[in-house]
Amino acid sequence: MRLRRLNAFLYKETLQVFHDPSAILIAIVLPLILLFLMGYAVSLDANKLPLGIINKSASSESHALINKFSASPFFQTTYGYSEEKLLKKIETNHLKGLLVIDENFGIDNEFKLQLLVDATDPNSAGLAQKYASSIINTWAVDEGIIKKIPIEIRPRYWFNPETSSRYFLLPGSIAVIMTLIGTLLTALVIAREWERGTMEALMATPITMTEVILGKLIPYFFLGLGSLLLCFIVAYFWYEIPFEGNLFLLFLLGAFYLFPSLSIGLLISTLSKNQFVAAQASLIIGFMPAFLLSGFLFEIANMPEWLQIFTYLFPARYFVESLQTIFLVGNIPSLFIKDMFSMSVMGLFFFTLVVRNTKKALE
């Protein structure tokens, strides 16, 4: 490999990148669209859950409890007298739950109430139950009903004091976006050369295939880092996601992740030799596992054991873990070194496959 020849080829490829509107579109416009869509559309929080309330009691305690629910930002309360009518509203999805306060509530130390929750969406049902329990506990403490209990529990949420799902979803979505950009950019580049017939012309020159692959990889590597910077700016300044780590470490992690991501795209490109097939394959091989199996949206610990082992095969798993840590927790060198090592091993593996496969194509 000759550096002078590689530099000349890199210069030519860089110019080609800036003259290619599709590359700029994928690297700049696509991340912005995805980040805004994911930032606003993907949320695991439940605010203003519609809750019906039936109060059969005339006691002051029941009114105090209702006031607590009304003042809560988690519920949008609807009052009624007919249990049947409000249950109908749950069936038609107009209410997510129903709180029924017993007629003897507050009399002779009886505090019976019933909470019915629509569990067609288990996540919303769990959150509604948790929020309602918290409000009832707060009311009981304020009313002095559980003053005999000697232990007071005050939960403290570390690293995400607002318990906002956006705080960990946004960093994870950056990994998904980087996966799509990385694989899609390079998946199209060599396939395009094959389609246009310019790959044969490149092979006729003295340049080696390793130099061709590096020349194709390096400009898109820096373009990918530019996309990471763009995602960081939007996440930090627009969505105000806290960033506790070091910016240099963030880009170092991004550089390690782009290596396997771009190499997978190149491998797809060399195998398919067709832009349409390469784009479809990059979505299936790159984007889908990053979305479903990286821990960005679904907790890996909740998956079956065999599937948890399978997730170790995808570089996005390590990048999501590192991004969520560096944004919310800070610098954890032992974790980052482990993740960077895993990503670099995968990158070397896929890059070797690209080189070997390209040599076979020459034969």
Side-chain angles (χ1 to χ4, degrees):
M1 185 169 64
R2 293 185 179 179
L3 283 178
R4 187 177 175 184
R5 198 164 53 198
L6 177 62
N7 287 336
F9 189 67
L10 274 174
Y11 180 69
K12 172 252 178 195
E13 286 297 318
T14 306
L15 287 179
Q16 193 168 327
V17 167
F18 284 107
H19 285 93
D20 182 5
S22 65
I24 303 299
L25 197 71
I26 293 172
I28 297 175
V29 180
L30 187 62
L32 286 176
I33 293 172
L34 288 174
L35 207 55
F36 279 112
L37 281 177
M38 290 183 178
Y40 285 108
V42 182
S43 173
L44 301 179
D45 297 329
N47 295 320
K48 298 293 180 186
L49 283 167
L51 177 74
I53 296 178
I54 295 177
N55 185 14
K56 298 178 180 177
S57 170
S59 66
S60 59
E61 288 88 349
S62 67
H63 289 103
L65 179 60
I66 288 173
N67 289 337
K68 287 283 183 188
F69 273 93
S70 301
S72 168
F74 302 120
F75 292 108
Q76 187 174 15
T77 50
T78 301
Y79 304 99
Y81 298 98
S82 170
E83 194 170 334
E84 188 180 349
K85 282 186 179 178
L86 292 183
L87 284 174
K88 283 283 181 189
K89 287 191 175 183
I90 293 178
E91 290 175 7
T92 54
N93 207 28
H94 289 96
L95 290 178
K96 286 294 181 185
L98 176 62
L99 180 71
V100 181
I101 301 175
D102 189 77
E103 58 187 2
N104 294 321
F105 190 88
I107 301 172
D108 295 333
N109 285 327
E110 276 196 25
F111 298 98
K112 290 182 182 176
L113 50 85
Q114 184 183 32
L115 179 68
L116 303 170
V117 182
D118 177 9
T120 51
D121 178 359
N123 182 56
S124 296
L127 289 172
Q129 189 271 333
K130 188 179 75 173
Y131 296 153
S133 300
S134 173
I135 291 169
I136 293 167
N137 285 335
T138 305
W139 162 82
V141 171
D142 291 348
E143 293 292 317
I145 293 170
I146 55 173
K147 62 184 179 183
K148 293 179 182 177
I149 299 175
I151 301 173
E152 183 183 0
I153 299 174
R154 293 185 177 180
R156 183 182 172 192
Y157 300 99
W158 280 16
F159 313 129
N160 187 358
E162 296 185 18
T163 60
S164 170
S165 63
R166 180 179 282 178
Y167 281 11
F168 73 91
L169 285 177
L170 253 297
S173 68
I174 291 175
V176 177
I177 291 167
M178 295 297 294
T179 306
L180 182 63
I181 293 168
T183 51
L184 197 57
L185 277 174
T186 46
L188 297 177
V189 67
I190 291 184
R192 188 183 301 133
E193 298 278 5
W194 284 110
E195 276 189 358
R196 291 176 178 171
T198 50
M199 183 56 85
E200 287 85 351
L202 272 176
M203 290 178 183
T205 64
I207 193 167
T208 65
M209 287 312 296
T210 306
E211 290 167 350
V212 171
I213 293 166
L214 284 175
K216 296 286 183 187
L217 193 103
I218 292 172
Y220 292 102
F221 173 81
F222 286 104
L223 203 58
L225 285 182
S227 298
L228 177 61
L229 176 64
L230 195 64
C231 289
F232 172 78
I233 289 171
V234 174
Y236 186 70
F237 291 103
W238 180 267
Y239 289 111
E240 297 181 342
I241 306 297
F243 182 74
E244 302 294 339
N246 181 283
L247 203 56
F248 172 76
L249 270 178
L250 172 69
F251 282 90
L252 189 63
L253 286 164
F256 271 88
Y257 180 64
L258 279 171
F259 183 35
S261 184
L262 294 170
S263 298
I264 290 171
L266 278 177
L267 183 61
I268 293 170
S269 193
T270 53
L271 290 172
S272 63
K273 299 179 182 176
N274 177 290
Q275 288 192 76
F276 178 76
V277 177
Q280 298 295 317
S282 64
L283 285 174
I284 295 169
I285 298 172
F287 180 72
M288 293 296 285
F291 194 84
L292 297 173
L293 301 175
S294 64
F296 145 67
L297 195 58
F298 306 108
E299 186 64 44
I300 292 176
N302 294 336
M303 297 177 187
E305 195 173 341
W306 63 269
L307 194 57
Q308 290 184 37
I309 296 169
F310 191 59
T311 60
Y312 286 104
L313 299 177
F314 299 102
R317 174 195 168 121
Y318 307 101
F319 194 42
V320 167
E321 182 181 55
S322 294
L323 278 177
Q324 289 174 340
T325 303
I326 199 168
F327 264 88
L328 300 180
V329 182
N331 301 328
I332 310 292
S334 57
L335 176 73
F336 296 158
I337 289 170
K338 177 178 71 70
D339 288 341
M340 284 191 285
F341 176 76
S342 302
M343 290 188 286
S344 58
V345 168
M346 289 185 177
L348 277 174
F349 173 73
F350 288 116
F351 185 77
T352 306
L353 284 182
V354 173
V355 174
R356 288 175 65 86
N357 187 66
T358 311
K359 279 180 179 175
K360 282 182 182 177
L362 281 173
E363 292 169 1

